[in-house]
Amino acid sequence: MKETFFRTLSWLHTWAGLLVCWVLLLIFFAGSLSYFRHEITLWNEPELHQGVYQDYQANTLENQLDKNQQYIETHSPAAVQRWMIDFPTERKPFQSVSWQLPPEKGQRRGKTEEHVALADGSGMISEVRESRGGNFFYRLHFDLHYMSAITARYIVGVCTMFMLIALISGIVIHKRIFKDLFSFRRDKGTRSWLDAHNVSSVIALPYHLMITYTGLITLMLMYIPWTVNTAYSGDNQAFLKELNPARQTEKAAGISAPQMQLSQLLPQVKAAWGDTPIKQVTVSYPKDQNSQVTFYQNTGKDVTDEANILIFNGVNGELEYASPHDASGASATYDTMMSLHTARFAAPLLRILFFFCGLLGCAMIATGTLMWAIRIRQKQQKRLDKGDKPSLGLHLVEGLNFMFILGLPLGTVAFFYANRLLATHFSGRSEWEIHSFFIALVAMGVWAFWGRSRRQWQMALILIGSLYCALPVLNAFTSPSNLIDNIQSHQWPLVGFDLLAVIFGCAMLFASNRLTLIAKSPVARPALNKTHVKADKTRRSELTSQSSLEEAKS
């Protein structure tokens, strides 16, 4: 405890944020990109940039199911765990079929192979490059990478709790929270960084509180498992079965049985859901006695993460499970918070707003870390002026700032370049896309070891900005369509990706130019000072003579 409550909370705010700031920056950055994970995945699959876009067609649903089922039965291996038929949605405007193979030794899930239907119905595209796409950033923001998911989620949970503490303590100590929303003083050194930190914090404060709290809620049963253990005597499977009966499917019996036609189930689906669109149809353990067929409803823009499903017996067509119409208060609250966190309900403009607020969160964390480094350097300035070396702590903080603030955008653009430049049939190409992200991040850390001056920041910003601005050019040379073609064909997800890349690149180049102006100003000052000195001397002599004249008059 400090001398006053205000100082205590100031200390808490500082250290709660700084101890985990770089992990939080990674989480916020990857989470912000996750709002467009479907669009990123689409950009990462240039084979689908032409000829596959189509709308949902309810009047031909029976014919589509028959055709897709026949295609899967003809082209899929005999031993598969699941068939999947996906219909066009707002985020994935194409129709596809896929099948999942049994997992190999050491794998949790088997490999999935997807074929995408051409819009004119003339055939399927089976050769689509392997890529994790936007799902990589989605998993990264809570599973990190190169470690077990359980370990990563505990790390993320601890960092999220620190973030929540920093936010609440920051609100309490912020005496002029509304005034500082409109206060930004340029070229004022530490004061400017503090203003930037305040503005980026306050503008998106409701978002920061919501995303942090709901982030803890999404994994609350993992962080606080004692209530479930007490109520169900440690039987976690019994709890999961009661919580979500739809996920507790029958195991394969190993006895062959004829698979019924999926289109025969449409009358029952229509009786339950009316004309509501269908998002996906899956068949678990096809041609097995315990085969099950699951229909997923396209819920549209409801503020809920709950999936409305119907499960049928895959042999006789008997309805086995239907999602309840009325969920409990606790379940509805949890689903709503999940949906708020993931923004799966959001229309494009609202998703853009969430993305912008996520970037403000990145700015809030980045300005906080930069301000920390500046204050450490100011404390050591007298020693540095005498020629002493900076402390290890200053080296570490400045190096990590350089590595993460510049390395995350560089790693992201390296991920996209690897997606287009690696050979299509390269073994393990999706993993090497991910490796490219982390290689670029580590490369910035190595760069920071050799130099972190303003000139180094400027060079890095020019490099990153140029790479982002060149992404639409890369897309034009490695895809069957370019930016102009996509505008003409109204492929707005691809257009938005290219435009956002250019905007982000220009922002990096603008930041580099600002650093150039700041760096040049001290150099230009001595040349200007000579003129100013002469002017000052003349002005002083005039004032002196003027004052002497006044004294003589008096």
Side-chain angles (χ1 to χ4, degrees), residues 409 413 458 460-472 497-515:
V413 77
Q458 177 195 348
L461 287 169
I462 291 175
L463 171 64
I464 298 169
S466 301
L467 288 173
Y468 272 99
C469 289
L471 267 180
F497 184 100
D498 284 348
L499 292 180
L500 189 60
V502 173
I503 292 172
F504 195 75
C506 290
M508 290 288 180
L509 294 175
F510 174 77
S512 171
N513 184 57
R514 286 291 304 162
L515 284 179

Side-chain angles (χ1 to χ4, degrees), residues 71-339:
Y71 183 88
I72 294 175
E73 291 176 342
T74 303
H75 293 85
S76 67
V80 294
Q81 278 194 328
R82 190 172 285 107
W83 296 347
M84 289 157 282
I85 301 173
D86 290 273
F87 295 100
T89 63
E90 298 85 357
R91 305 287 300 280
K92 294 178 66 178
F94 53 84
Q95 186 178 148
S96 67
V97 298
S98 53
W99 48 85
Q100 186 180 43
L101 300 174
E104 298 178 1
K105 187 176 180 180
Q107 288 184 336
R108 184 181 175 187
R109 296 184 181 90
K111 184 180 179 181
T112 300
E113 184 175 344
E114 183 180 27
H115 295 185
V116 179
L118 292 169
D120 57 8
S122 59
M124 292 278 190
I125 298 177
S126 59
E127 296 293 332
V128 179
R129 68 187 61 199
E130 183 186 358
S131 176
R132 294 277 294 278
N135 291 322
F136 161 64
F137 297 102
Y138 173 69
R139 303 293 301 189
L140 178 65
H141 95 281
F142 63 90
D143 276 355
L144 304 179
H145 205 68
Y146 301 125
M147 65 178 68
S148 68
I150 297 297
T151 304
R153 292 178 188 186
Y154 274 115
I155 293 173
V156 170
V158 170
C159 294
T160 305
M161 181 58 73
F162 272 67
M163 177 72 177
L164 188 61
I165 293 171
L167 284 172
I168 295 173
S169 58
I171 294 171
V172 175
I173 67 174
H174 216 125
K175 297 180 179 179
R176 303 181 305 170
I177 189 168
F178 294 108
K179 183 178 180 181
D180 284 346
L181 177 62
F182 305 100
S183 300
F184 180 72
R185 284 150 282 196
R186 295 174 52 189
D187 303 326
K188 297 294 183 180
T190 309
R191 180 73 249 183
S192 297
W193 287 114
L194 180 59
D195 286 346
H197 181 71
N198 291 336
V199 169
S200 58
S201 303
V202 176
I203 286 180
L205 181 59
Y207 171 85
H208 297 329
L209 289 170
M210 178 276 294
I211 208 70
T212 306
Y213 181 70
T214 55
L216 287 171
I217 293 298
T218 56
L219 298 172
M220 64 180 183
L221 296 179
M222 176 181 160
Y223 301 140
I224 311 176
W226 305 289
T227 52
V228 175
N229 292 338
T230 302
Y232 290 86
S233 302
D235 188 356
N236 196 48
Q237 291 301 317
F239 165 71
L240 293 175
K241 186 174 182 179
E242 187 172 340
L243 178 67
N244 194 346
R247 291 187 178 180
Q248 309 305 313
T249 58
E250 296 286 343
K251 300 297 182 182
I255 303 173
S256 180
Q259 184 69 44
M260 72 175 303
Q261 284 295 114
L262 301 179
S263 59
Q264 295 176 7
L265 299 172
L266 285 177
Q268 296 184 65
V269 175
K270 189 170 184 179
W273 291 345
D275 295 327
T276 305
I278 298 170
K279 180 180 180 180
Q280 185 186 64
V281 180
T282 66
V283 181
S284 302
Y285 310 112
K287 299 184 180 180
D288 186 88
Q289 188 174 2
N290 287 343
S291 172
Q292 289 183 324
V293 180
T294 306
F295 283 76
Y296 290 84
Q297 187 183 65
N298 186 0
T299 56
K301 300 186 173 50
D302 293 336
V303 185
T304 177
D305 198 53
E306 182 184 8
N308 292 335
I309 63 173
L310 297 172
I311 300 179
F312 300 91
N313 185 291
V315 177
N316 56 33
E318 180 183 348
L319 179 63
E320 296 181 347
Y321 175 83
S323 296
H325 293 290
D326 298 321
S328 66
S331 178
T333 302
Y334 177 80
D335 290 333
T336 301
M337 288 191 173
M338 278 287 293
S339 190

